Amino acid sequence: MNSNNIYMIIGREIYTYDKRTKCYEKFKYEDIDFIYFKNKKLNIILEGEEIYNLKLNLPRMNNISLKKNIEKEVNLLFKKDDILFDYEVIKSSDKNLITSIKCINTDKYEIIDRYFAGCKSLRIIPIQEVLTKYIKNKAKVKEGIVIALIKEHLYFIILKYGDIVFCILNKEVDEKDINNLCEESLNIITKSLEHLSLSIENNMYLINLNLDKKHTKDFNIKRFNIKAEELFYVN
């Protein structure tokens, strides 16, 4: 990703990366050049949002109809019509298509629509995917659990075949509660994997935190320290 065209939405505010000061700065409404946006391909990183994974079995159809039908199904599921989603066809036959869908039910949709709707091309990227790409660039990551502390949010990302299977998000975490939250979340992960009949390798990737040994003793551990501004450079 070109860092000049990347914006991060944190809470209700927009930030961009300034290469001169080597940090990300708040983007003010009066600084936004809407003509510039109109001619650019932009990437928006969403921080502090949950990802929902779905699978849909649909009749075979063309790409335009498929996207419309998935959008309809997603909006019905969440009972609103501004859900952000991405999808891929994971299996097809002469009659059916099985699709894997990632959804984000965010209250930041209004900000995105207000400031970025007129740009040439817009890609919405949850920070969980950026973190996953970051460590995949550092190590050959295919399966395991990523646990990341970014600002006050604690992310649990479960990977299988190099893709995100599901995520857990704990918002506004107090550091003294991290080990208890990890214990609860790891129990949820274990039960969820059993429910999905999935197994993953015993790899754990820790970003910006250390855990009690009782949580890590059964895993192969790799640790990373990531500054928020580094995420603007992830390809």
Side-chain angles (χ1 to χ4, degrees), residues 76-93:
L76 284 171
L77 178 64
F78 287 93
K79 298 180 180 179
K80 55 188 296 192
D81 58 3
D82 55 2
I83 300 297
L84 301 172
F85 70 91
D86 192 14
Y87 70 92
E88 65 174 328
V89 176
I90 57 175
K91 191 174 182 181
S92 63
S93 67

Side-chain angles (χ1 to χ4, degrees), residues 12-179:
R12 306 294 294 178
E13 297 173 332
I14 302 170
Y15 292 79
T16 186
Y17 187 71
D18 188 322
K19 284 198 278 191
R20 292 178 296 104
T21 60
K22 295 185 178 180
C23 65
Y24 59 101
E25 298 180 347
K26 189 183 296 185
F27 214 51
K28 299 177 183 178
Y29 182 87
E30 56 267 25
D31 293 337
I32 298 176
D33 185 344
F34 291 100
I35 301 300
Y36 172 85
F37 278 176
K38 191 173 182 180
N39 298 315
K40 291 292 182 179
K41 296 180 179 179
L42 302 181
N43 296 292
I44 304 292
I45 299 174
L46 282 186
E47 187 256 5
E49 298 293 338
E50 293 197 55
I51 300 177
Y52 300 90
N53 289 51
L54 311 171
K55 281 187 180 179
L56 283 180
N57 193 337
L58 296 168
R60 194 174 184 90
M61 61 190 77
N62 63 41
N63 288 335
I64 294 174
S65 297
L66 179 60
K67 185 175 181 179
K68 287 181 178 178
N69 275 274
I70 289 174
E71 183 175 16
K72 180 181 177 182
E73 293 290 337
V74 168
N75 290 343
L76 284 171
L77 178 64
F78 287 93
K79 298 180 180 179
K80 55 188 296 192
D81 58 3
D82 55 2
I83 300 297
L84 301 172
F85 70 91
D86 192 14
Y87 70 92
E88 65 174 328
V89 176
I90 57 175
K91 191 174 182 181
S92 63
S93 67
D94 292 339
K95 294 183 178 180
N96 296 306
L97 297 171
I98 298 177
T99 58
S100 175
I101 306 161
K102 291 184 175 71
C103 308
I104 305 173
N105 182 10
T106 177
D107 61 357
K108 299 182 179 75
Y109 188 90
E110 181 185 345
I111 298 173
I112 296 167
D113 190 52
R114 183 192 308 164
Y115 295 143
F116 301 104
C119 69
K120 183 178 179 180
S121 174
L122 181 64
R123 184 180 174 212
I124 310 295
I125 313 163
I127 200 169
Q128 291 93 323
E129 290 192 4
V130 182
L131 291 168
T132 300
K133 286 181 180 179
Y134 180 94
I135 63 170
K136 285 169 75 173
N137 289 343
K138 299 287 185 180
K140 293 182 179 179
V141 178
K142 291 292 184 182
E143 295 185 8
I145 301 172
V146 180
I147 308 177
L149 182 64
I150 305 295
K151 293 189 176 296
E152 73 276 19
H153 298 325
L154 186 63
Y155 299 88
F156 293 80
I157 307 165
I158 291 73
L159 297 177
K160 180 76 173 178
Y161 306 127
D163 193 21
I164 295 175
V165 179
F166 63 91
C167 305
I168 298 173
L169 170 62
N170 293 282
K171 295 186 178 183
E172 298 179 3
V173 170
D174 191 315
E175 287 197 21
K176 70 178 186 298
D177 298 327
I178 284 177
N179 278 289

